[in-house]
Amino acid sequence: MPLLDLLILGVIAAGVEYAIVQSVGPLLTGVVASLVMLLPYEWTHFLIHTPYKPKGRYYRYLWRAHRLHHYKNEHDWYGVTIHLGDHLRWTFPNKSAVPNSATARTLGVED
């Protein structure tokens, strides 16, 4: 996520949270909790898009699914760090059951 976007969204989220809790203590707790959840997501997503080859079993599972989303079919495997939603929405099919998408790599945008 670009830093400017992160800052803008952070200010908006903090404003909404402050309007709800109307106290600085819970606001700071919410901001810290949000960052604690966002950083592993962004780090994992970053590593997936680098040449790094995962060593751990769970990270290989995340790596493979996200790469299938980008290079096999953009209509499946949405999750990056958690795939519970994919399993509940049936968007985590067996790789061989999904056809290759002509637009997975470009999303239909031509150079």
Side-chain angles (χ1 to χ4, degrees):
M1 178 177 281
L3 184 58
L4 182 59
D5 292 351
L6 181 62
L7 291 174
I8 292 170
L9 290 173
V11 168
I12 292 169
V16 169
E17 188 173 341
Y18 185 76
I20 294 169
V21 299
Q22 297 182 347
S23 178
V24 174
L27 170 69
L28 292 177
T29 301
V31 168
V32 169
S34 297
L35 287 174
V36 165
M37 291 185 288
L38 179 65
L39 290 176
Y41 170 88
E42 288 295 339
W43 182 246
T44 301
H45 195 215
F46 168 74
L47 285 178
I48 287 169
H49 287 275
T50 66
Y52 176 77
K53 298 290 184 201
K55 295 171 182 67
R57 184 173 146 204
Y58 182 67
Y59 185 62
R60 273 195 316 270
Y61 160 77
L62 297 176
W63 182 84
R64 179 177 177 266
H66 194 66
R67 290 207 170 221
L68 287 171
H69 170 74
H70 280 291
Y71 300 113
K72 174 89 172 156
N73 194 310
E74 72 274 21
H75 302 292
D76 290 307
W77 305 287
Y78 290 103
V80 173
T81 55
I82 299 173
H83 291 285
L84 177 61
D86 281 325
H87 290 291
L88 293 175
R89 294 179 54 231
W90 299 287
T91 56
F92 201 96
N94 186 308
K95 172 180 131 175
S96 61
V98 177
N100 289 344
S101 168
T103 58
R105 293 176 187 234
T106 65
L107 298 178
V109 177
E110 300 298 323
D111 287 335

